[in-house]
Amino acid sequence: MLSRTADHLFWMSRYTERAENTARMLSVSYETSLLPQSAAEAQAGWQGLLSISELMPAYTQKHGEVTPARVLEFMVRDGDNPSSIFSCLRAARENARAVRGALTTEIWETQNQTWLELRRHLEDGALERDPGQFFEWVKYRSHLSRGVTLGTMLQDEAFHFLRLGTFLERSDNTARLLDVKFHAAAKDFFGRASERNLESDFYHWSAVLRSVSAFEVYRKVYRDVITPGRVADLLILRRDMPRSLHASMREVVDNLAAVANAQSDETQRRAGRLLSDLRYGRIDEILATGLHAFLTQFLDRVNELGARISQDFLVLEAD
């Protein structure tokens, strides 16, 4: 496969996943803002959302004070913000258009229709009327894109580059979400019981779980009160939790193996080592050294993997 084709497929899926992740975080932040809380807590929630994507400097330069309306505008429809839902779905559609020949008709029509409908929704004021319903629509279109890919595409190299982009992006986002949310609760988390009251804890950690569709999964797995340590365990080490770091990295390793070439041995080794750390890790050992330190290192290793994948597979060939 040509590197330019692999590059477009990889980034098409990354941008689609990023749009969904942004919608998930915005949805939870919006719903949490409707709960009784102090102005300082509400402000911290919206600031945390910007911190997850490392967008606080860009936001401050453009909008100044952090307000819910301005954050929604910046994270949903701002075409100058590369992580906004508008920018991500536009980039996903443009990457899909560039490699239409490598996609099935159903995949292309799904990407194109998502972009056209997004523009209509934003022009019709759907975000302002019901933000929650708008975010559900974004998540639904991402689910549809993945379902159509699985249901219609030959599982060749093109398919594996699509999957590789999806799960590399997902692992990065889940780690960022965990880091910011746990950092908001404490400077670092070493597994000690939270000193905040139980009611506040329940809503805080419920929001974390709901942002990755894990609230019902948590209840099924642990059948007990929500605790920070178990939230970390579920979203880091559980192989059977679809959006966990373990599950995401397992997909990255499997799809890397499927597209391996003569220069990707070191990339595969590093991905495999990272997966092994998650596969054989224990949450008490992770918490003993501090969750923030673990997640920071994980993000550095994932970013390095992304750079190595680009170097091994996606560097454009000379004409």
Side-chain angles (χ1 to χ4, degrees):
M1 174 178 289
L2 291 174
S3 292
R4 61 175 60 88
T5 301
D7 183 73
H8 286 304
L9 293 167
F10 179 80
W11 284 103
M12 183 193 94
S13 59
R14 285 201 75 162
Y15 280 122
T16 301
E17 180 72 17
R18 190 174 299 176
E20 178 188 349
N21 291 329
T22 300
R24 286 176 176 278
M25 292 185 292
L26 285 169
S27 178
V28 171
S29 295
Y30 172 73
E31 291 171 6
T32 304
S33 71
L34 302 179
L35 297 171
Q37 59 185 318
S38 68
E41 286 178 324
Q43 183 85 348
W46 291 107
Q47 289 175 344
L49 175 66
L50 294 169
S51 298
I52 290 174
S53 303
E54 300 180 355
L55 291 171
M56 183 61 81
Y59 173 90
T60 303
Q61 183 178 6
K62 189 165 188 175
H63 294 288
E65 183 184 359
V66 175
T67 67
R70 290 175 182 173
V71 173
L72 287 176
E73 174 72 20
F74 182 68
M75 295 298 291
V76 173
R77 66 168 84 236
D78 191 337
D80 295 327
N81 171 14
S83 293
S84 71
I85 291 174
F86 179 90
S87 295
C88 287
L89 292 182
R90 177 180 61 188
R93 189 259 187 186
E94 287 305 305
N95 278 284
R97 185 178 62 83
V99 287
R100 284 183 62 177
L103 303 172
T104 63
T105 300
E106 291 86 351
I107 296 174
W108 160 247
E109 289 180 348
T110 298
Q111 290 287 345
N112 192 47
Q113 188 66 25
T114 297
W115 169 242
L116 296 175
E117 287 185 16
L118 173 70
R119 295 175 63 184
R120 283 200 298 269
H121 284 321
L122 294 179
E123 290 170 2
D124 293 345
L127 175 64
E128 291 74 16
R129 282 196 307 274
D130 190 342
Q133 185 176 358
F134 174 79
F135 298 137
E136 285 300 316
W137 175 84
V138 175
K139 290 192 288 182
Y140 166 75
R141 296 303 299 188
S142 180
H143 296 327
L144 183 61
S145 177
R146 283 195 301 276
V148 168
T149 299
L150 284 168
T152 68
M153 195 165 182
L154 180 68
Q155 295 191 11
D156 57 2
E157 281 192 332
F159 173 86
H160 292 298
F161 276 112
L162 284 171
R163 301 286 285 176
L164 190 57
T166 294
F167 290 103
L168 196 67
E169 182 69 29
R170 184 174 296 180
S171 63
D172 178 272
N173 184 263
T174 299
R176 288 181 187 278
L177 174 72
L178 275 171
D179 193 29
V180 170
K181 292 297 185 181
F182 273 88
H183 221 46
K187 187 173 182 180
D188 200 351
F189 184 70
F190 295 91
R192 293 188 294 270
S194 173
E195 296 177 357
R196 301 191 305 168
N197 66 72
L198 292 176
E199 185 178 2
S200 297
D201 275 349
F202 174 81
Y203 286 117
H204 181 84
W205 301 118
S206 294
V208 174
L209 291 170
R210 292 185 190 280
S211 67
V212 290
S213 296
F215 183 78
E216 293 169 339
V217 173
Y218 183 98
R219 291 300 197 195
K220 185 175 183 179
V221 171
Y222 298 106
R223 302 178 184 275
D224 201 353
V225 66
I226 298 175
T227 65
R230 286 176 177 167
V231 171
D233 182 48
L234 181 71
L235 299 185
I236 294 174
L237 299 180
R238 291 285 303 202
R239 174 177 175 171
D240 49 0
M241 170 58 207
R243 306 188 78 84
S244 73
L245 302 187
H246 185 169
S248 298
M249 284 308 305
R250 181 161 51 89
E251 290 283 353
V252 168
V253 168
D254 290 347
N255 285 284
L256 261 178
V259 297
N261 61 24
Q263 60 190 40
S264 64
D265 285 352
E266 179 62 17
T267 302
Q268 288 180 266
R269 187 190 70 82
R270 296 191 185 203
R273 185 172 179 180
L274 182 51
L275 175 60
S276 294
D277 290 344
L278 296 169
R279 182 178 179 184
Y280 298 108
R282 292 172 58 93
I283 195 63
D284 54 346
E285 294 173 350
I286 291 173
L287 297 181
T289 57
L291 189 61
H292 176 64
F294 172 83
L295 292 171
T296 299
Q297 184 185 58
F298 178 87
L299 282 167
D300 288 343
R301 294 168 75 181
V302 165
N303 290 336
E304 183 184 35
L305 266 183
R308 294 194 65 88
I309 289 170
S310 294
Q311 178 182 327
D312 293 344
F313 302 103
L314 311 180
V315 176
L316 300 185
E317 296 138 339
D319 292 330

